[in-house]
Amino acid sequence: TLIPRATGSSPLLIATRSPRSPAFSAPSEPRPSAMATAATISATPLAPLPSSRHAFASPKMLRSLPFLRRRLPSLAAAAVKQDAAVWNAAPVASIGAASADGSLFHLRVDLSDAADLASSFTAPGQYLLVRVPGEDGLKPAFMAIASPPGGGAFEFLVKAVPGATAEKLCGLRDGDVVELGAVMGKGFPIERVTPADAAETLLLFATGTGISPIRSLIEFGFAAKQRADVRLYYGARNLETMAYQERFAEWESSGLKIVPVLSRPDDGWKGERGYVQRAFLEAKNIANPTSTGAVLCGQSQMIEEVTSALTADGVSQDKILKNF
Protein backbone atom coordinates (compact mmCIF):
# COMPACT_ATOMS: atom_id res chain seq x y z
CA THR A 1 0.00 0.00 0.00
CA LEU A 2 0.91 3.85 -0.43
CA ILE A 3 1.07 5.21 2.45
CA PRO A 4 4.12 4.54 4.55
CA ARG A 5 4.07 1.14 5.94
CA ALA A 6 4.24 0.46 9.63
CA THR A 7 7.93 0.79 10.06
CA GLY A 8 10.56 3.01 11.64
CA SER A 9 12.62 2.51 14.72
CA SER A 10 12.41 3.03 18.45
CA PRO A 11 10.81 6.30 19.56
CA LEU A 12 14.23 7.69 20.46
CA LEU A 13 15.52 7.22 16.95
CA ILE A 14 12.42 8.29 15.01
CA ALA A 15 11.93 11.70 16.54
CA THR A 16 14.92 13.35 14.91
CA ARG A 17 14.89 12.12 11.31
CA SER A 18 12.26 12.11 8.65
CA PRO A 19 12.36 9.18 6.19
CA ARG A 20 13.43 9.24 2.63
CA SER A 21 10.40 7.24 1.67
CA PRO A 22 6.69 7.05 3.30
CA ALA A 23 4.29 5.36 1.20
CA PHE A 24 4.07 5.34 1.02
CA SER A 25 7.22 2.92 0.31
CA ALA A 26 9.16 1.44 3.17
CA PRO A 27 11.24 4.30 4.69
CA SER A 28 14.87 3.81 5.38
CA GLU A 29 16.19 3.55 8.91
CA PRO A 30 16.85 6.85 10.67
CA ARG A 31 20.36 7.96 11.53
CA PRO A 32 21.64 6.84 14.90
CA SER A 33 20.73 9.00 17.88
CA ALA A 34 23.27 10.49 20.27
CA MET A 35 22.84 7.49 22.54
CA ALA A 36 23.57 5.07 19.70
CA THR A 37 26.57 7.19 18.73
CA ALA A 38 27.81 7.10 22.31
CA ALA A 39 27.62 3.32 22.37
CA THR A 40 29.47 3.07 19.08
CA ILE A 41 32.29 5.41 20.10
CA SER A 42 32.71 3.76 23.48
CA ALA A 43 32.80 0.28 22.03
CA THR A 44 35.05 0.87 19.01
CA PRO A 45 38.83 0.67 19.59
CA LEU A 46 40.90 3.49 18.18
CA ALA A 47 42.93 2.66 15.11
CA PRO A 48 46.73 3.14 15.39
CA LEU A 49 47.80 6.65 14.60
CA PRO A 50 49.73 7.24 11.36
CA SER A 51 53.37 8.12 11.86
CA SER A 52 53.32 10.94 9.34
CA ARG A 53 53.58 14.49 10.63
CA HIS A 54 50.46 15.12 8.50
CA ALA A 55 48.42 12.71 10.62
CA PHE A 56 44.94 14.01 11.39
CA ALA A 57 44.91 13.18 15.13
CA SER A 58 47.15 15.35 17.31
CA PRO A 59 48.10 14.84 20.99
CA LYS A 60 45.87 17.78 21.84
CA MET A 61 42.93 16.09 20.10
CA LEU A 62 43.57 12.82 21.86
CA ARG A 63 43.55 14.56 25.22
CA SER A 64 40.09 15.91 24.37
CA LEU A 65 38.58 12.42 23.93
CA PRO A 66 37.75 11.88 27.63
CA PHE A 67 35.89 15.19 27.58
CA LEU A 68 34.01 14.05 24.48
CA ARG A 69 33.01 10.82 26.20
CA ARG A 70 31.81 12.78 29.23
CA ARG A 71 29.65 14.92 26.91
CA LEU A 72 27.95 12.01 25.12
CA PRO A 73 25.60 11.01 27.97
CA SER A 74 24.30 14.57 28.14
CA LEU A 75 23.76 14.55 24.37
CA ALA A 76 21.79 11.33 24.70
CA ALA A 77 19.71 12.88 27.48
CA ALA A 78 19.00 15.85 25.22
CA ALA A 79 17.83 13.49 22.49
CA VAL A 80 15.44 11.79 24.94
CA LYS A 81 14.10 15.19 26.00
CA GLN A 82 13.60 16.18 22.38
CA ASP A 83 11.82 12.89 21.70
CA ALA A 84 9.40 13.56 24.54
CA ALA A 85 8.65 17.01 23.12
CA VAL A 86 7.93 15.71 19.61
CA TRP A 87 5.13 13.31 20.54
CA ASN A 88 1.65 14.77 20.86
CA ALA A 89 -1.02 12.85 22.79
CA ALA A 90 -4.44 13.18 21.16
CA PRO A 91 -7.77 11.36 21.58
CA VAL A 92 -9.47 9.22 18.96
CA ALA A 93 -12.54 11.12 17.78
CA SER A 94 -13.94 8.24 15.74
CA ILE A 95 -12.94 4.94 14.19
CA GLY A 96 -14.86 2.67 11.86
CA ALA A 97 -14.66 0.30 8.93
CA ALA A 98 -13.45 1.79 5.65
CA SER A 99 -13.89 -1.31 3.50
CA ALA A 100 -16.53 -4.01 3.22
CA ASP A 101 -14.08 -6.80 4.06
CA GLY A 102 -12.96 -5.17 7.34
CA SER A 103 -9.31 -4.83 6.34
CA LEU A 104 -9.30 -1.02 6.29
CA PHE A 105 -10.35 1.48 8.94
CA HIS A 106 -11.06 5.20 9.10
CA LEU A 107 -9.25 6.78 12.05
CA ARG A 108 -9.99 10.37 13.08
CA VAL A 109 -7.85 12.02 15.75
CA ASP A 110 -8.97 15.19 17.53
CA LEU A 111 -6.33 17.94 17.60
CA SER A 112 -8.22 20.46 19.73
CA ASP A 113 -5.37 20.40 22.24
CA ALA A 114 -2.62 20.20 19.60
CA ALA A 115 -3.21 23.31 17.51
CA ASP A 116 0.47 23.70 16.61
CA LEU A 117 0.57 20.18 15.19
CA ALA A 118 -2.61 20.79 13.19
CA SER A 119 -1.25 24.03 11.73
CA SER A 120 2.04 22.36 10.73
CA PHE A 121 0.13 20.27 8.17
CA THR A 122 0.21 22.54 5.14
CA ALA A 123 0.37 20.34 2.03
CA PRO A 124 -1.46 17.20 0.86
CA GLY A 125 0.94 14.26 0.85
CA GLN A 126 2.57 14.97 4.20
CA TYR A 127 2.79 12.20 6.78
CA LEU A 128 3.82 11.45 10.34
CA LEU A 129 4.50 8.69 12.85
CA VAL A 130 1.75 7.28 15.03
CA ARG A 131 2.19 5.11 18.11
CA VAL A 132 -0.08 3.63 20.77
CA PRO A 133 0.86 4.42 24.38
CA GLY A 134 1.96 1.34 26.29
CA GLU A 135 2.93 -0.58 23.14
CA ASP A 136 6.68 -0.01 23.50
CA GLY A 137 7.53 -3.26 21.72
CA LEU A 138 5.95 -2.09 18.47
CA LYS A 139 7.51 0.30 15.99
CA PRO A 140 5.50 3.45 15.33
CA ALA A 141 3.60 3.44 12.06
CA PHE A 142 4.19 5.87 9.21
CA MET A 143 0.81 7.29 8.19
CA ALA A 144 -0.09 9.65 5.36
CA ILE A 145 -2.68 12.19 6.44
CA ALA A 146 -5.88 11.51 4.50
CA SER A 147 -7.79 14.66 5.39
CA PRO A 148 -6.98 17.99 3.69
CA PRO A 149 -4.93 20.66 5.50
CA GLY A 150 -6.75 23.27 7.52
CA GLY A 151 -8.92 21.17 9.83
CA GLY A 152 -8.93 20.56 13.56
CA ALA A 153 -8.40 16.81 13.19
CA PHE A 154 -6.21 14.38 11.29
CA GLU A 155 -7.82 11.49 9.44
CA PHE A 156 -6.01 8.31 8.43
CA LEU A 157 -6.76 5.23 6.36
CA VAL A 158 -5.33 2.31 8.32
CA LYS A 159 -4.79 -1.23 7.07
CA ALA A 160 -4.95 -3.85 9.82
CA VAL A 161 -1.51 -5.49 9.67
CA PRO A 162 -1.24 -8.36 12.20
CA GLY A 163 1.36 -7.83 14.91
CA ALA A 164 1.98 -4.18 14.00
CA THR A 165 1.01 -0.78 15.37
CA ALA A 166 -1.58 -0.53 12.60
CA GLU A 167 -3.45 -3.51 14.05
CA LYS A 168 -3.51 -1.85 17.48
CA LEU A 169 -4.83 1.35 15.93
CA CYS A 170 -7.67 -0.55 14.28
CA GLY A 171 -8.66 -1.97 17.67
CA LEU A 172 -8.97 1.40 19.43
CA ARG A 173 -12.23 2.96 20.56
CA ASP A 174 -13.50 6.52 20.63
CA GLY A 175 -11.71 8.41 23.39
CA ASP A 176 -8.60 6.22 23.43
CA VAL A 177 -5.33 8.12 23.18
CA VAL A 178 -2.72 7.89 20.44
CA GLU A 179 0.58 9.73 20.11
CA LEU A 180 1.47 11.61 16.95
CA GLY A 181 4.94 12.65 15.85
CA ALA A 182 5.80 15.80 13.95
CA VAL A 183 4.39 16.29 10.46
CA MET A 184 7.05 15.31 7.93
CA GLY A 185 7.76 15.74 4.25
CA LYS A 186 6.90 18.57 1.89
CA GLY A 187 3.87 16.87 0.39
CA PHE A 188 3.04 16.87 -3.31
CA PRO A 189 4.76 19.83 -5.03
CA ILE A 190 1.51 20.91 -6.66
CA GLU A 191 3.01 24.27 -7.61
CA ARG A 192 4.77 22.45 -10.48
CA VAL A 193 1.39 21.87 -12.19
CA THR A 194 -0.07 25.24 -11.23
CA PRO A 195 -1.76 27.26 -12.71
CA ALA A 196 -4.18 24.93 -14.47
CA ASP A 197 -2.83 25.64 -17.96
CA ALA A 198 0.58 24.32 -16.85
CA ALA A 199 -1.04 20.87 -16.80
CA GLU A 200 -4.30 20.87 -18.70
CA THR A 201 -4.20 17.08 -18.36
CA LEU A 202 -3.62 15.91 -14.80
CA LEU A 203 -3.48 12.18 -14.10
CA LEU A 204 -3.76 10.80 -10.56
CA PHE A 205 -2.66 7.26 -9.71
CA ALA A 206 -3.23 5.40 -6.44
CA THR A 207 -3.13 1.82 -5.24
CA GLY A 208 -4.19 0.42 -1.87
CA THR A 209 -3.86 2.84 1.03
CA GLY A 210 -1.91 5.14 -1.28
CA ILE A 211 -5.32 6.67 -1.91
CA SER A 212 -4.98 8.48 1.46
CA PRO A 213 -2.79 11.42 0.34
CA ILE A 214 -4.58 11.48 -3.02
CA ARG A 215 -7.86 11.98 -1.14
CA SER A 216 -6.19 14.82 0.77
CA LEU A 217 -5.18 16.46 -2.51
CA ILE A 218 -8.59 16.04 -4.16
CA GLU A 219 -10.45 17.53 -1.20
CA PHE A 220 -7.88 20.29 -0.72
CA GLY A 221 -8.41 21.25 -4.35
CA PHE A 222 -6.18 21.77 -7.38
CA ALA A 223 -8.48 23.62 -9.83
CA ALA A 224 -9.70 20.41 -11.43
CA LYS A 225 -12.62 22.08 -13.20
CA GLN A 226 -10.25 24.50 -14.90
CA ARG A 227 -8.32 21.64 -16.53
CA ALA A 228 -9.32 19.83 -19.70
CA ASP A 229 -8.75 16.27 -18.50
CA VAL A 230 -8.39 15.05 -14.91
CA ARG A 231 -8.43 11.29 -14.24
CA LEU A 232 -7.93 9.17 -11.14
CA TYR A 233 -6.75 5.60 -11.73
CA TYR A 234 -7.45 3.85 -8.42
CA GLY A 235 -6.35 0.24 -7.98
CA ALA A 236 -7.56 -2.33 -5.43
CA ARG A 237 -8.03 -6.07 -5.26
CA ASN A 238 -11.83 -5.86 -5.49
CA LEU A 239 -14.67 -3.56 -4.48
CA GLU A 240 -14.70 -5.05 -0.98
CA THR A 241 -11.17 -3.70 -0.38
CA MET A 242 -11.66 -0.31 -2.04
CA ALA A 243 -11.94 2.62 0.37
CA TYR A 244 -13.76 5.93 -0.10
CA GLN A 245 -16.36 4.68 -2.55
CA GLU A 246 -18.91 6.81 -0.68
CA ARG A 247 -16.87 9.88 -1.72
CA PHE A 248 -16.66 9.10 -5.43
CA ALA A 249 -19.71 11.15 -6.43
CA GLU A 250 -18.40 14.20 -4.57
CA TRP A 251 -14.94 13.81 -6.11
CA GLU A 252 -16.37 13.55 -9.62
CA SER A 253 -18.47 16.64 -9.05
CA SER A 254 -15.22 18.53 -8.39
CA GLY A 255 -14.09 17.86 -11.95
CA LEU A 256 -12.30 14.50 -12.15
CA LYS A 257 -13.11 11.16 -13.71
CA ILE A 258 -12.56 8.07 -11.54
CA VAL A 259 -11.30 4.88 -13.17
CA PRO A 260 -11.44 2.00 -10.65
CA VAL A 261 -9.09 -0.85 -11.55
CA LEU A 262 -9.60 -4.23 -9.83
CA SER A 263 -6.93 -6.95 -9.89
CA ARG A 264 -9.27 -9.72 -8.62
CA PRO A 265 -12.84 -8.65 -9.36
CA ASP A 266 -15.89 -10.86 -9.21
CA ASP A 267 -17.50 -12.12 -12.39
CA GLY A 268 -20.00 -9.28 -12.53
CA TRP A 269 -17.41 -6.50 -12.71
CA LYS A 270 -17.72 -4.49 -15.95
CA GLY A 271 -14.88 -2.02 -15.37
CA GLU A 272 -11.11 -2.13 -15.76
CA ARG A 273 -9.32 -5.33 -14.70
CA GLY A 274 -5.71 -6.01 -13.80
CA TYR A 275 -3.29 -3.33 -12.66
CA VAL A 276 -3.42 0.44 -12.75
CA GLN A 277 -0.41 0.78 -15.05
CA ARG A 278 -1.91 -1.59 -17.62
CA ALA A 279 -5.25 0.23 -17.59
CA PHE A 280 -3.48 3.52 -18.15
CA LEU A 281 -1.20 2.21 -20.90
CA GLU A 282 -4.20 0.86 -22.80
CA ALA A 283 -6.15 4.12 -22.53
CA LYS A 284 -3.34 6.70 -22.31
CA ASN A 285 -4.97 9.42 -24.48
CA ILE A 286 -2.56 12.23 -23.70
CA ALA A 287 -3.40 15.17 -25.94
CA ASN A 288 -0.33 17.31 -25.19
CA PRO A 289 2.59 15.82 -23.21
CA THR A 290 4.10 19.26 -22.54
CA SER A 291 0.89 20.28 -20.75
CA THR A 292 0.44 17.05 -18.81
CA GLY A 293 1.17 16.33 -15.16
CA ALA A 294 0.72 13.35 -12.86
CA VAL A 295 0.44 12.60 -9.15
CA LEU A 296 1.38 9.11 -7.95
CA CYS A 297 1.18 7.27 -4.65
CA GLY A 298 1.16 3.57 -3.96
CA GLN A 299 2.87 0.38 -5.00
CA SER A 300 6.44 1.00 -6.15
CA GLN A 301 6.20 -1.03 -9.37
CA MET A 302 3.14 0.94 -10.43
CA ILE A 303 4.96 4.22 -9.76
CA GLU A 304 8.02 3.12 -11.72
CA GLU A 305 6.11 1.82 -14.73
CA VAL A 306 3.74 4.77 -14.98
CA THR A 307 6.63 7.22 -14.61
CA SER A 308 8.58 5.46 -17.37
CA ALA A 309 5.57 5.49 -19.70
CA LEU A 310 4.88 9.18 -19.09
CA THR A 311 8.47 10.33 -19.62
CA ALA A 312 8.75 8.16 -22.75
CA ASP A 313 5.76 10.05 -24.14
CA GLY A 314 7.39 13.40 -23.45
CA VAL A 315 5.88 14.33 -20.07
CA SER A 316 8.34 16.36 -18.02
CA GLN A 317 9.80 14.54 -15.03
CA ASP A 318 9.34 17.77 -13.09
CA LYS A 319 5.56 17.47 -13.51
CA ILE A 320 5.38 13.89 -12.20
CA LEU A 321 4.66 14.46 -8.52
CA LYS A 322 5.33 12.15 -5.58
CA ASN A 323 5.20 12.81 -1.85
CA PHE A 324 8.61 11.40 -0.94
Side-chain angles (χ1 to χ4, degrees):
T1 60
L2 310 223
I3 352 271
R5 245 187 348 233
T7 184
S9 184
S10 68
L12 176 61
L13 299 181
I14 53 172
T16 57
R17 168 93 183 264
S18 60
R20 285 193 296 268
S21 158
F24 339 100
S25 309
S28 60
E29 290 295 325
R31 287 180 291 195
S33 66
M35 187 172 289
T37 305
T40 302
I41 292 178
S42 299
T44 304
L46 293 172
L49 292 173
S51 58
S52 169
R53 61 186 179 92
H54 301 293
F56 178 79
S58 68
K60 182 178 179 181
M61 294 176 65
L62 291 175
R63 286 195 298 272
S64 70
L65 283 174
F67 171 77
L68 175 61
R69 288 194 173 114
R70 287 195 300 271
R71 286 282 294 160
L72 285 170
S74 62
L75 293 175
V80 172
K81 183 177 180 180
Q82 182 182 14
D83 173 68
V86 165
W87 293 102
N88 297 266
V92 173
S94 63
I95 187 165
S99 62
D101 71 341
S103 64
L104 300 174
F105 287 79
H106 294 297
L107 173 64
R108 189 171 189 270
V109 180
D110 181 16
L111 299 180
S112 298
D113 295 327
D116 288 346
L117 180 65
S119 63
S120 68
F121 174 38
T122 58
Q126 290 181 298
Y127 49 94
L128 45 68
L129 283 159
V130 184
R131 68 183 184 184
V132 179
E135 298 293 343
D136 297 338
L138 297 177
K139 296 178 179 180
F142 282 95
M143 294 281 174
I145 303 170
S147 47
F154 283 170
E155 296 181 19
F156 304 95
L157 181 63
V158 187
K159 182 176 181 178
V161 179
T165 291
E167 183 180 41
K168 297 295 182 181
L169 292 172
C170 295
L172 296 177
R173 298 180 180 180
D174 294 3
D176 287 344
V177 173
V178 297
E179 292 180 331
L180 308 177
V183 172
M184 296 186 283
K186 297 181 179 179
F188 296 115
I190 199 70
E191 66 277 1
R192 297 181 187 175
V193 291
T194 304
D197 58 7
E200 294 178 341
T201 296
L202 190 61
L203 307 170
L204 314 180
F205 299 88
T207 56
T209 55
I211 191 64
S212 294
I214 297 295
R215 173 205 155 186
S216 178
L217 176 63
I218 293 170
E219 297 183 5
F220 185 68
F222 53 89
K225 286 187 175 180
Q226 298 176 28
R227 303 176 194 267
D229 179 13
V230 181
R231 284 172 265 162
L232 166 62
Y233 290 88
Y234 177 13
R237 178 173 295 180
N238 48 49
L239 289 176
E240 287 69 34
T241 63
M242 180 170 276
Y244 299 139
Q245 295 179 57
E246 73 280 1
R247 296 177 177 270
F248 284 3
E250 179 184 351
W251 291 357
E252 290 192 316
S253 70
S254 72
L256 65 103
K257 177 184 178 182
I258 299 175
V259 184
V261 185
L262 305 182
S263 60
R264 298 181 186 178
D266 60 32
D267 293 339
W269 176 245
K270 303 299 183 183
E272 296 289 341
R273 294 171 176 259
Y275 296 104
V276 162
Q277 54 268 44
R278 184 202 62 80
F280 167 64
L281 289 172
E282 289 185 355
K284 215 173 257 189
N285 190 26
I286 297 177
N288 181 3
T290 63
S291 183
T292 296
V295 185
L296 302 94
C297 193
Q299 202 264 349
S300 58
Q301 183 176 352
M302 179 275 289
I303 292 175
E304 292 170 3
E305 292 184 10
V306 170
T307 299
S308 295
L310 290 170
T311 54
D313 279 354
V315 177
S316 169
Q317 182 77 48
D318 193 55
K319 293 183 179 180
I320 301 175
L321 314 184
K322 303 163 190 174
N323 65 329
F324 58 89

